[in-house]
């Protein structure tokens, strides 16, 4: 069966510090991978998605970046965090085929507080 | 623009039935999803509708009317553990998911 791991679960970082959130998927190959951010009272905001190694699509211009160094590894990074980067970050995967029925399976989430 | 509307919060009684509505305006349609999200946790998949009609899955059912841009999630025999946010999401013509802000469901004994 497929599993998704995301870490760290929580972190508190000062403004201007770097960020690295990591996500790995097991039990599948060539998945679609996603990074979302969820702010209180708002819908999930898609930040990045990837359909393959080294292929990253950015949905929202900001000071975050994503990388996919291996087929089942997805990393969210920032060189200098802003206060507005605080939020709940979710990694997700879906089957690699393009289909309306692709169900997203989410990692447990990472709660980031920037002070 | 693309838009998903659902009520912000609803309250229901344990053992009762509740219907959570979702209306959408999107560029094309390739299916509608409902996810459940407990506080502080990740969303989990509940249902998928792509054709008009009712899909039943145990205590949960989801309905879709594509001509009206409307869906609802019906929860029967409510239990305290059903207290959660329920997220409606539509896949548009580019196979991108558009998310609603979620409906927080509060169950009272």
């Amino acid at each position: 069966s497929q599993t998704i791991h995301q870490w760290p679960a929580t972190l508190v970082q000062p403004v201007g510090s770097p960020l690295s959130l990591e996500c790995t998927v097991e039990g599948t190959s060539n998945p679609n991978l996603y990074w979302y951010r969820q702010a209180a009272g708002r819908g999930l905001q898609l930040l990045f998605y990837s359909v393959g190694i080294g292929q990253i699509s950015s949905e929202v211009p900001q000071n975050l970046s994503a990388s996919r160094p291996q087929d089942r590894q997805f990393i969210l990074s920032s060189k200098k965090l802003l206060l507005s980067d605080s939020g709940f970050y979710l990694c997700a995967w879906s089957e690699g085929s393009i289909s309306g029925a692709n169900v997203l399976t989410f990692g447990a989430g990472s709660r980031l507080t920037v002070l | 623009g693309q838009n998903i509307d659902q009520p912000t919060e609803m309250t229901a009684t344990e053992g009762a039935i509740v219907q959570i509505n979702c209306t959408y305006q999107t560029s094309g349609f390739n299916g509608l999803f409902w996810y459940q999200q407990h506080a502080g946790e990740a969303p989990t998949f509940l249902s998928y509708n792509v054709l008009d009609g009712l899909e039943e899955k145990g205590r949960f059912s989801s309905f879709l009317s594509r001509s009206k841009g409307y869906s609802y999630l019906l929860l029967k025999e409510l239990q305290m553990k059903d207290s959660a946010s329920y997220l409606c999401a539509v896949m548009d013509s580019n196979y991108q998911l558009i998310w609603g802000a979620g409906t927080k469901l509060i169950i009272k004994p």
Side-chain angles (χ1 to χ4, degrees):
Chain A
S1 64
Q2 301 90 359
T3 56
I4 179 169
H5 303 279
Q6 179 181 347
W7 70 94
T10 58
L11 64 166
V12 179
Q13 296 284 102
V15 170
S17 65
L19 171 74
S20 180
L21 302 179
E22 191 162 341
C23 174
T24 58
V25 181
E26 297 176 356
T28 187
S29 59
N30 198 32
N32 293 332
L33 296 172
Y34 309 82
W35 278 111
Y36 281 92
R37 178 167 59 200
Q38 187 175 37
R42 301 185 66 178
L44 290 171
Q45 180 187 33
L46 179 63
L47 301 176
F48 301 94
Y49 70 93
S50 171
V51 299
I53 296 175
Q55 301 179 61
I56 309 294
S57 296
S58 173
E59 292 297 308
V60 182
Q62 56 208 326
N63 68 321
L64 298 172
S65 62
S67 62
R68 184 171 177 171
Q70 300 180 45
D71 181 46
R72 290 167 290 178
Q73 184 185 26
F74 206 23
I75 298 171
L76 182 69
S77 304
S78 174
K79 292 182 179 178
K80 288 186 177 182
L81 284 168
L82 306 172
L83 286 174
S84 58
D85 292 324
S86 293
F88 191 47
Y89 289 81
L90 290 158
C91 179
W93 77 273
S94 69
E95 293 291 346
S97 59
I98 302 243
S99 164
N102 277 2
V103 173
L104 289 180
T105 301
F106 290 87
S110 299
R111 186 161 301 282
L112 170 66
T113 303
V114 182
L115 300 175
Chain B
Q2 307 202 86
N3 195 50
I4 309 283
D5 286 317
Q6 48 181 135
T8 302
E9 187 174 296
M10 298 181 70
T11 302
T13 305
E14 189 177 15
I17 299 173
V18 70
Q19 177 176 312
I20 302 174
N21 295 326
C22 171
T23 58
Y24 63 89
Q25 293 175 308
T26 56
S27 303
F29 179 85
N30 277 304
L32 185 144
F33 297 81
W34 284 97
Y35 284 78
Q36 180 190 60
Q37 185 177 25
H38 286 100
E41 299 181 8
T44 55
F45 170 74
L46 285 178
S47 67
Y48 171 71
N49 294 69
V50 67
L51 299 176
D52 289 351
L54 189 68
E55 295 277 346
E56 296 186 76
K57 222 187 248 188
R59 294 189 299 114
F60 292 10
S61 303
S62 56
F63 171 83
L64 174 67
S65 169
R66 288 172 296 171
S67 62
K68 295 181 179 179
Y70 167 70
S71 172
Y72 68 72
L73 181 69
L74 191 71
L75 291 75
K76 302 176 184 176
E77 301 169 16
L78 286 169
Q79 302 175 10
M80 297 304 293
K81 67 178 182 180
D82 298 328
S83 292
S85 289
Y86 291 86
L87 312 180
C88 175
V90 173
M91 189 164 283
D92 69 12
S93 57
N94 294 319
Y95 294 98
Q96 297 296 316
L97 269 180
I98 311 301
W99 293 85
T103 298
K104 183 178 180 180
L105 178 63
I106 299 168
I107 310 296
K108 295 186 174 178

